[in-house]
Amino acid sequence: MKTLIRHEFDLIKLMFWLTLCVLATFGLQASNIYIALKNSYLENIIWEPDIQNNLLRILTNNGAMALVIMIMVYVQFKEIKGENVSEFILSLPFTSKDILVAKIVAGLSLIMFAGIGIGIIFLVVNMAAIELIENMRMLMPSGHLFTETYTNFSIIVITIRYILEMVLIYSFLVMGQFLIKKAGLSVTFMIGGVLSILYVLIIVSHMLYVNLINPGVLPSTVEAVRKIFDAIGEIGQMIGNVYFMDTPKEYLAYSINEITYYYTVYPQKLGWATIASVSTIGLFFSISMYLVDKVGFTRIQYFTISKTWDKVIVIWCGLCCGLFQYFYTVIVIGGRFDLLDMISALIWAGLGMIIMRLIVKRSVIGGE
């Protein structure tokens, strides 16, 4: 097993170097935040030093690590899914589960390496800025409220949440390797599938709002549609809070001359959201372990694990392509969707289905 794990680390050796480059960019950005804070203090410009939320934005605005994980999953599974190489690897005295466990251990090690590196960088910057932050907050009547909210423990919580977010993406993409035949196409379609769902929801929401909010429609119908999509929005916000780096805001009350003021803060906490995230990760890895027994690395006969899902993907691709005409005409340029646009949408849908069908056929025959 040690030999197998060593082999998996050799496969993703380049990914560790890429991760070091990502950490270097995070370090530079964090340093710039500290320098900006220090310069403002020296120039007697005082405001709430929101350094921890600024550090959090570095992570939320930079998708480099997610891209590294996508490349890593492709590299990890390309070899084992290759017809020539896989026969040799699978003939070794290891089960398919052993190979998958070795891959997961190597992948999680890279993510932990990145997470610990980010945690160290952010803690160093936060501790270097503590004196400046305390001096600024001493000049603010409510400064002590922020001191109690933003601590070094908040940095540790940010690090843990970021690690869980990256592991969630990794476990989702690993599961996808047992749902779609080719390694590269699996990564592409798993990410594209999630984005396409958001894309379709946005367009359908716009269609319903534009076409139902007019004098010819009953107000109760309009209100029902609004409630449905408000609920969808709330679910989306909940997903962001649980699985990603979105942080729900809270309000702190402070009274001055018997007048109560409310300050907005974004405290970092570990709780039910963390449990839900860990549970989802466990679910994705469990599905992967189950499927590695059922379909293995090379026993998927179609583009996906079944012919039915192949057809679903072809139809879904056609739908997304057809909706693009509405997206461009109505949402992008603000025009009116007329009969000509409807015909164009049907043409786009047909082309999308044809192209997707060709991709499915080519994948089944062979080639990455």
Side-chain angles (χ1 to χ4, degrees), residues 205-214 326 330:
S205 301
H206 191 276
M207 282 180 175
L208 290 173
Y209 269 74
V210 168
N211 292 293
L212 289 181
I213 299 180
N214 61 66
Y326 182 91
V330 180

Side-chain angles (χ1 to χ4, degrees), residues 38-291:
K38 186 176 181 180
N39 289 340
S40 297
Y41 178 76
L42 294 175
E43 294 171 4
N44 297 325
I45 301 174
I46 304 300
W47 79 97
E48 163 48 28
D50 197 12
I51 189 169
Q52 293 192 6
N53 285 331
N54 288 333
L55 293 174
L56 178 61
R57 289 188 192 99
I58 293 176
L59 301 179
T60 56
N61 295 337
N62 191 322
M65 197 59 217
L67 182 60
V68 170
I69 290 174
M70 291 166 62
I71 297 172
M72 176 178 68
V73 173
Y74 169 70
V75 171
Q76 282 188 307
F77 287 88
K78 183 178 184 298
E79 179 187 56
I80 193 69
K81 286 192 165 189
E83 294 179 0
N84 297 329
V85 181
S86 61
E87 291 180 6
F88 168 72
I89 295 176
L90 295 174
S91 67
L92 297 174
F94 302 110
T95 65
S96 295
K97 275 191 176 180
D98 290 337
I99 296 172
L100 178 58
V101 168
K103 290 182 181 297
I104 291 174
V105 167
L108 293 182
S109 297
L110 177 78
I111 294 171
M112 289 299 297
F113 172 71
I116 292 171
I118 289 168
I120 292 172
I121 291 170
F122 284 6
L123 277 173
V124 168
V125 171
N126 191 63
M127 292 173 69
I130 281 179
E131 185 176 353
L132 295 176
I133 293 172
E134 289 179 349
N135 290 341
M136 285 184 173
R137 286 175 178 163
M138 284 175 62
L139 301 173
M140 301 171 62
S142 58
H144 66 282
L145 296 177
F146 297 100
T147 301
E148 294 168 2
T149 302
Y150 300 119
T151 62
N152 282 329
F153 180 72
S154 300
I155 298 292
I156 296 173
V157 173
I158 289 174
T159 303
I160 294 172
R161 291 187 64 196
Y162 185 71
I163 290 173
L164 288 176
E165 180 180 322
M166 293 300 105
V167 174
L168 179 70
I169 295 172
Y170 177 69
S171 62
F172 178 71
L173 294 177
V174 168
M175 181 182 67
Q177 294 299 321
F178 302 99
L179 300 175
I180 297 176
K181 184 174 183 179
K182 297 295 182 179
L185 289 174
S186 173
V187 173
T188 304
F189 276 83
M190 291 298 284
I191 297 296
V194 173
L195 297 178
S196 70
I197 292 172
L198 297 176
Y199 161 78
V200 170
L201 283 176
I202 290 171
I203 294 178
V204 171
S205 301
H206 191 276
M207 282 180 175
L208 290 173
Y209 269 74
V210 168
N211 292 293
L212 289 181
I213 299 180
N214 61 66
V217 178
L218 292 174
S220 59
T221 304
V222 176
E223 187 62 26
V225 171
R226 280 180 173 158
K227 286 182 178 179
I228 290 171
F229 286 98
D230 285 345
I232 292 174
E234 290 177 6
I235 292 171
Q237 184 65 47
M238 189 183 303
I239 290 172
N241 292 339
V242 172
Y243 296 113
F244 300 101
M245 301 296 289
D246 291 349
T247 303
K249 62 185 176 182
E250 296 182 6
Y251 297 98
L252 298 178
Y254 187 75
S255 296
I256 302 177
N257 296 328
E258 298 184 352
I259 300 175
T260 302
Y261 297 89
Y262 293 92
Y263 297 92
T264 304
V265 294
Y266 296 87
Q268 298 295 326
K269 299 177 180 179
L270 297 176
W272 289 109
T274 309
I275 295 172
S277 187
V278 171
S279 300
T280 306
I281 291 168
L283 175 65
F284 288 160
F285 280 140
S286 297
I287 292 173
S288 299
M289 289 295 178
Y290 171 78
L291 290 175

